[in-house]
Amino acid sequence: MAKQGAKAAAAKPAKKATQLKQAAKPKQPGKGKQPATGKQKERAQAKSSSQRVEDVSGGGTNILTAVPEPKYDWMNQSRQWGVRVKPGKKGLTLGSLNVGIYGEVPTDWPDQSRNPRGAIPRRGMPPVGYAVREKAAMWADGAADLYEEAIQRRWAPATDVPWDSIEPLADDVEHAVCQVCTELCQYANVDIEAISSWQHQMAYGYHEVKQYLATATFDAARHYEAFRKRALYNGGGLGLEGPGEVNRMIIESYGGWTETVAYLFLLRGTFTMTMLRYLERFAHNDAERYIYARVIEDKARHLAYGVEHLQYSIAHIQHQAGVLATVLFVGDRIFARDLRDPVLREALAIIFGNGIEGARATGLDTWDAMMRDFMSSLQETCAWLDIPRSVAGMPKAMSRYLPPDAADEAGADIPEAAQAAAR
Amino acid sequence: MPRFPSEQWFGAVAAVFNGDERYQGAGGGQCNCRAGVVVEAPNDAPADVFVLTFEGAECLGGQPADAAALADVDFYMQMPLADWQEMLGDIQAHGHATADHTLNSLDLNREEGLATSVHGDQYREDLFFRYNQTLQFFFDASARVKTARA
């Protein structure tokens, strides 16, 4: 019905086009022109004015160009007509659109265009050059839900954080908070850079992932904003740049998005999450508590995507768990090198101990507890994903935080490729 | 005056939580999960188990359940009655949980943690962190519910 109506309506502009064409005919500016009398000038102005009106009513079409009769052939181009999606209890969610052919998520997406999944490709489109076109290379089942959650649970540092709850702190504590905020700003920058450097390489067949990652980038921008604001709020300002070897490792992990996920979300993400949880626990005011608590929720979504993607990838790519074991084997060593830098450890110990004296008394013990929690979370996640981890092959800077009786699980041999990398 | 823990108490807190729009903004918002609450009774008596259901912007309340129900929830939070009461007392005193009594702090401070699961599914367990502020807002709402001690 709708299509017939549209065709009938198509006759009108065609008639208007003919009128415009006729109106254009006698107008040959400059040809055999004589000096115009006053009346001729008036008539010319009136004519010109009426042509302008027609021009405008013709939808801005140049009056000298014939307007072809629209055919509306594109209207018959739909792979599935009649799809209707209704909002559910959670509203009209991205995931709920996956019905009929629109819910078919193929394992490969050879289309090299920006064609949205479910649309009809246009012939002759030059390839855009997406490098990541396999589902197993980026997919996570919960990506659409995570996207909705990120949109729904967003927060705004400028107005939501109770900034006026920040009172002057002792200089050593303020320096420490500012130092940690500086390093967290760097982490956020790496999140943005790493995700966006892969995102444009991902095929449009898996828009749920691309959209979710867009929110993750935005989350990271918000984290950068919040930590920078905290550093500048109370007279301390930004501190010393972090060592950045892990940052470089994440950004330069060219082996594929999955490798980047292992470094960015699993290794660095678990560490950051643990640190944020301790920072929330030892926050000095409601503003800091607010920031850390909200960033924890955002980071939990990042980890959820990361863990789900790794799980999917391991389930669909042969020997992937072993590959990831090697990736982490290498990553552990670079992570351990960053741990040699005392700045973050000292700053956190001062925050946890509420000053330099407290850092010596309890702060460094709290750092150790934080590291034990980090290592325990990392190992648990790897065990859940079936990624073999060798305690014996782990750098001491990390393995010392595992329980003394921690031993290699069966099958957790150092991967052959990792041994070669170590040599 | 409802007593903690009881279906009436969870219902009264849910009514306050659902009626306050501040809990929906700024890091709160839609929450979809089923969380167990396990209150260990003194003297080795059986623990009280409740299942809290969050759907969209609402908490549908806490239903009493048996221990077997914990296998179906996304995660559950378990503490002795005295620790739950201490947490609720802190919330009553300050209007919201303070440093040592937030869900995050309790999870860090306790040897066995606060939140865990039967199934061990990391994705579902981590809902505790993804929805942490909503869960915190829920318990903070108990500041406006007069609670009888068990």
Side-chain angles (χ1 to χ4, degrees):
Chain A
M1 285 290 280
K3 286 182 187 176
Q4 283 173 359
K7 272 200 171 164
K12 280 188 181 172
K15 195 176 176 186
K16 197 169 282 176
T18 313
Q19 286 170 349
L20 287 171
K21 204 172 177 183
Q22 284 170 350
K25 246 185 182 176
K27 197 184 179 192
Q28 294 177 345
K31 209 172 185 182
K33 223 176 182 184
Q34 299 295 319
T37 64
K39 279 194 175 178
Q40 281 174 324
K41 274 183 182 171
E42 279 176 24
R43 277 201 297 273
Q45 280 170 355
K47 196 174 179 182
S48 159
S49 163
S50 85
Q51 280 172 349
R52 277 201 301 273
V53 169
E54 281 191 21
D55 193 3
V56 170
S57 67
T61 312
N62 188 328
I63 59 169
L64 297 176
T65 309
V67 178
E69 185 177 351
K71 294 176 182 166
Y72 297 108
D73 287 349
W74 53 268
M75 279 205 168
N76 293 319
Q77 305 279 321
S78 170
R79 290 184 57 214
Q80 192 168 25
W81 180 256
V83 173
R84 286 182 180 81
V85 183
K86 299 253 164 63
K89 280 185 177 173
K90 301 176 194 171
L92 190 60
T93 61
L94 186 64
S96 68
L97 304 181
N98 283 348
V99 293
I101 61 113
Y102 301 101
E104 291 168 10
V105 186
T107 52
D108 286 301
W109 189 261
D111 190 330
Q112 280 272 29
S113 75
R114 294 192 176 86
N115 187 26
R117 193 175 75 220
I120 294 166
R122 189 181 283 259
R123 279 188 218 123
M125 290 300 284
V128 179
Y130 296 113
V132 188
R133 300 197 303 270
E134 290 175 358
K135 188 178 179 185
M138 70 177 97
W139 189 252
D141 286 335
D145 289 343
L146 290 169
Y147 168 78
E148 294 289 350
E149 199 174 299
I151 298 291
Q152 243 290 317
R153 299 178 71 85
R154 67 192 179 277
W155 52 288
T159 50
D160 290 337
V161 176
W163 292 109
D164 55 5
S165 70
I166 302 178
E167 302 276 345
L169 296 171
D171 279 356
D172 51 358
V173 178
E174 183 63 29
H175 271 302
V177 172
C178 291
Q179 180 57 39
V180 170
C181 284
T182 303
E183 301 216 18
L184 287 170
C185 278
Q186 276 182 262
Y187 289 7
N189 276 341
V190 171
D191 286 357
I192 296 169
E193 208 174 319
I195 296 170
S196 54
S197 72
W198 280 101
Q199 207 188 2
H200 72 281
Q201 299 188 54
M202 294 176 177
Y204 270 88
Y206 311 105
H207 61 256
E208 293 90 343
V209 173
K210 282 177 81 86
Q211 283 181 261
Y212 168 65
L213 290 176
T215 68
T217 310
F218 194 81
D219 288 341
R222 185 169 48 221
H223 301 165
Y224 179 87
E225 173 198 352
F227 294 128
R228 186 175 180 84
K229 284 177 174 172
R230 169 59 194 92
L232 293 175
Y233 187 90
N234 216 18
L238 292 162
L240 182 67
E241 183 183 3
E245 290 196 53
V246 174
N247 295 342
R248 187 167 283 273
M249 171 185 77
I250 293 166
I251 290 167
E252 294 184 354
S253 51
Y254 300 127
W257 170 240
T258 303
E259 179 182 319
T260 305
V261 166
Y263 289 147
L264 181 68
F265 294 133
L266 181 56
L267 187 55
R268 162 63 70 73
T270 304
F271 177 72
T272 313
M273 180 71 165
T274 313
M275 180 166 48
L276 288 163
R277 294 192 59 207
Y278 273 78
L279 285 167
E280 197 263 359
R281 163 71 185 79
F282 290 94
H284 291 88
N285 47 62
D286 286 345
E288 289 171 10
R289 196 166 294 114
Y290 188 102
I291 293 168
Y292 298 136
R294 268 60 181 188
V295 178
I296 284 171
E297 286 197 340
D298 295 344
K299 295 302 283 186
R301 278 195 305 277
H302 301 184
L303 286 178
Y305 165 76
V307 168
E308 254 211 322
H309 168 59
L310 294 176
Q311 189 186 31
Y312 189 89
S313 145
I314 288 167
H316 292 85
I317 299 175
Q318 207 176 13
H319 308 308
Q320 181 73 334
V323 170
L324 288 168
T326 307
V327 163
L328 288 177
F329 184 88
V330 174
D332 286 345
R333 271 142 189 81
I334 295 170
F335 191 87
R337 285 219 297 264
D338 257 14
L339 285 177
R340 275 190 225 150
D341 184 85
V343 178
L344 184 63
R345 180 174 66 244
E346 290 171 3
L348 285 170
I350 290 169
I351 292 172
F352 300 155
N354 200 23
I356 291 176
E357 284 308 308
R360 293 187 184 117
T362 60
L364 283 168
D365 289 341
T366 308
W367 158 272
D368 282 349
M370 183 193 90
M371 288 302 293
R372 284 194 296 273
D373 280 350
F374 156 60
M375 285 305 296
S376 151
S377 296
L378 181 64
Q379 292 297 88
E380 277 173 26
T381 307
C382 288
W384 189 69
L385 289 168
D386 283 332
I387 298 174
R389 297 276 281 164
S390 164
V391 177
M394 203 174 277
K396 285 278 179 290
M398 293 174 81
S399 65
R400 65 186 283 241
Y401 294 110
L402 289 170
D405 58 347
D408 291 358
E409 287 175 20
D413 297 333
I414 303 169
E416 208 175 303
Q419 288 180 39
R423 282 196 293 272
Chain B
M1 192 187 297
R3 157 189 82 78
F4 176 85
S6 66
E7 187 177 358
Q8 290 73 27
W9 187 86
F10 284 110
V13 176
V16 175
F17 173 81
N18 294 338
D20 192 335
E21 283 189 2
R22 287 174 302 170
Y23 294 143
Q24 300 306 321
Q30 294 214 356
C31 170
N32 298 286
C33 71
R34 295 178 75 230
V37 173
V38 180
V39 182
E40 296 167 22
N43 306 324
D44 292 333
D48 285 312
V49 177
F50 291 85
V51 174
L52 270 174
T53 305
F54 291 88
E55 207 171 271
E58 273 191 335
C59 175
L60 305 182
Q63 300 296 317
D66 56 25
L70 295 176
D72 297 327
V73 297
D74 294 307
F75 58 89
Y76 63 90
M77 296 166 278
Q78 178 166 357
M79 284 198 295
L81 175 63
D83 292 2
W84 282 110
Q85 285 177 333
E86 188 182 322
M87 180 192 91
L88 296 175
D90 178 69
I91 289 169
Q92 285 278 351
H94 301 96
H96 59 85
T98 58
D100 277 334
H101 298 93
T102 64
L103 298 175
N104 174 51
S105 293
L106 290 165
D107 193 51
L108 285 177
N109 292 350
R110 298 173 54 74
E111 190 70 27
E112 325 74 31
L114 170 68
T116 186
S117 77
V118 172
H119 45 68
D121 181 333
Q122 193 106 31
Y123 186 84
R124 293 175 68 194
E125 267 183 25
D126 282 352
L127 291 175
F128 173 72
F129 296 112
R130 273 164 59 190
Y131 296 138
N132 197 266
Q133 284 311 294
T134 296
L135 298 166
Q136 189 63 64
F137 286 153
F138 177 82
F139 285 106
D140 284 354
S142 73
R144 286 180 270 165
V145 174
K146 283 190 176 172
T147 302
R149 287 214 151 209

